[in-house]
Amino acid sequence: MTATLDRLPSWAKAVSVLATAVVLAGVGDFLLSQAGYTGLGALVWALGYGGAVVAVWAIWFRGQEFDPD
């Protein structure tokens, strides 16, 4: 399993983390909203999605330089 993950490009790992976080946060939001906790569901979604974006930036994109040169 680790050999397969090592062959994945860095951008694919970042996209996988974001997709997983959005799905998990979305399911958590849905379940909490259906149970009547709409505000808590929105908070779970926002923290899950925002946390994944921050994690992807910190792990993969923080050291990147986007100079046109």
Side-chain angles (χ1 to χ4, degrees):
M1 177 81 176
T2 9
T4 305
L5 290 177
D6 290 339
R7 293 187 338 207
L8 279 175
S10 183
W11 65 267
K13 292 177 187 176
V15 168
S16 300
V17 167
L18 282 175
T20 302
V22 168
V23 167
L24 291 176
V27 169
D29 176 26
F30 174 76
L31 293 174
L32 287 168
S33 295
Q34 292 298 313
Y37 300 108
T38 309
L40 185 59
L43 180 66
V44 165
W45 190 88
L47 291 177
Y49 183 68
V53 169
V54 169
V56 165
W57 173 79
I59 294 170
W60 285 288
F61 296 122
R62 183 177 52 182
Q64 298 292 325
E65 293 190 21
F66 298 104
D67 292 331
D69 298 293

